[in-house]
Amino acid sequence: MAVDAGSTHVRLRVSTLDGRLLHSRVCSLPGSQFSLNEEISRVVAQEVAAALAEAHEEWGPLRALGIAVPTRVVGPDGDVAGTHQNLIFSAFSPPDGVDVLLVNNVNCAAVAEQHFGAARGHDTFAYVQIGLKIGMGLMLGGQLISGKTGSAGEIGHLSFPFAPGIAPEPGAVERYLGTESLIARVRETWPREEGPAPANTSELLTMAEKGNPVAKAHVERHAADIGALVATCVSVVDPGLVVLGGGLGASPLLLPKVREVVDILTYPVEVRTTLLGVDATVLGIEKLAVERAMGRLLGDDG
């Protein structure tokens, strides 16, 4: 069983160890959740219970439960992992006897893109998620990099902004580039003569796709900002390939401007749009959960 415990939705898949999909569910969260909390835990509990209620005998035993969480996760000896385990399990108790795996959601998406999506055939690349929050999954030489405290790829904590008389603040770049801040800026400056302002980024992208000049200008400006962020990541890790994903980053409308800005600011790199869209994270945690279950069955826990 694979669960994407996201900031806006909880997605769940039940599959066999050879990859056959048995059951899937998607549930919208009541409002955007900026951090892992009890509300997410309650919805995870609800969705897992509903999936178990649908289980058939021919499915066989549940051997692993993978949960992708919107926060950093470290190994069993790290304090951070313990804190987040308490949060995800605050309203949810996993089934008895089932192996449970917690993995950062953006890292899961990177795994999925490597095996099923835009990074197939690449053992070094970066997956950059742009949505309600921002983050990066980094694959170097076929190894997913998490760092000593599970913070590798947490680009939402890059120092920002740089300007005279302004001190950088923790998380400021994520707040600026996140979709809620974007749509707030759009609505604040939307000309009356253009009619009603878009209520969300989905409406903004639709209007831009249909040729609305104001919507197109906002999308291009935001794509330029994303390009600058991507260029920063490329300058540090030189991944050769960057895959854009997330609720907003998955839009192909962003790609041309992102590529243009990255080409100007940093080293040569290929930039692609996700092939998996919003399913990247749940497909990645499913892949990792299957690997964990197979390892247990074959007696190879490493």
Side-chain angles (χ1 to χ4, degrees):
M1 186 177 294
V3 180
D4 171 13
S7 297
T8 59
H9 294 78
V10 170
R11 290 180 165 82
L12 178 148
R13 286 170 59 93
V14 181
S15 62
T16 61
L17 296 185
D18 61 357
R20 290 181 293 113
L21 180 65
L22 300 171
H23 183 72
S24 65
R25 296 177 60 88
V26 179
C27 178
S28 297
L29 291 169
S32 300
Q33 309 295 323
F34 281 92
S35 60
L36 189 59
N37 56 38
E38 190 168 333
E39 184 60 50
I40 294 176
S41 181
R42 278 195 293 268
V43 175
V44 169
Q46 163 194 309
E47 294 303 294
V48 170
L52 291 173
E54 294 289 330
H56 300 291
E57 185 177 349
E58 58 268 24
W59 288 7
L62 178 61
R63 297 189 180 274
L65 170 63
I67 306 176
V69 292
T71 189
R72 58 193 179 120
V73 178
V74 297
D77 296 328
D79 294 335
V80 176
T83 299
H84 291 145
Q85 283 180 3
N86 291 338
L87 286 171
I88 193 63
F89 299 134
S90 59
F92 167 58
S93 297
D96 291 337
V98 175
D99 199 7
V100 178
L101 176 67
L102 291 182
V103 184
N104 170 266
N105 60 344
V106 183
N107 286 347
C108 290
V111 168
E113 292 292 347
Q114 184 186 39
H115 288 278
F116 314 115
R120 290 185 71 175
H122 293 261
D123 63 2
T124 295
F125 70 97
Y127 172 89
V128 175
Q129 176 172 291
I130 307 290
L132 178 70
K133 302 172 69 176
I134 64 174
M136 179 174 71
L138 187 59
M139 193 79 69
L140 298 180
Q143 296 295 314
L144 193 61
I145 305 301
S146 60
K148 183 175 179 62
T149 65
S151 303
E154 291 290 343
I155 54 177
H157 287 269
L158 289 170
S159 296
F160 177 86
F162 286 163
I166 300 176
E169 299 177 8
V173 68
E174 181 169 73
R175 291 192 294 272
Y176 177 75
L177 285 177
T179 53
E180 290 200 351
S181 294
L182 167 62
I183 207 64
R185 291 193 295 272
V186 170
R187 294 179 64 82
E188 184 179 354
T189 60
W190 192 262
R192 290 184 178 181
E193 59 269 23
E194 290 294 332
N200 50 50
T201 52
S202 178
E203 289 186 12
L204 176 67
L205 292 170
T206 298
M207 294 172 74
E209 192 171 29
K210 291 180 177 179
N212 181 286
V214 180
K216 288 174 65 176
H218 277 292
V219 170
E220 184 158 300
R221 169 59 193 271
H222 200 65
D225 289 338
I226 293 169
L229 176 73
V230 169
T232 301
C233 300
V234 171
S235 296
V236 174
V237 297
D238 188 24
L241 170 66
V242 173
V243 179
L244 299 178
L248 181 62
S251 171
L253 294 180
L254 304 177
L255 191 59
K257 191 65 177 180
V258 172
R259 283 175 169 168
E260 177 187 330
V261 171
V262 171
D263 285 345
I264 292 170
L265 293 179
T266 193
Y267 311 118
V269 65
E270 184 177 2
V271 184
R272 300 177 182 174
T273 301
T274 174
L275 296 180
L276 304 176
V278 296
D279 291 325
T281 296
V282 73
L283 290 172
I285 190 61
E286 180 180 72
K287 170 72 175 173
L288 294 172
V290 166
E291 290 178 354
R292 171 67 69 89
M294 290 298 292
R296 294 285 194 263
L297 283 171
L298 298 175
D300 179 15
D301 294 348

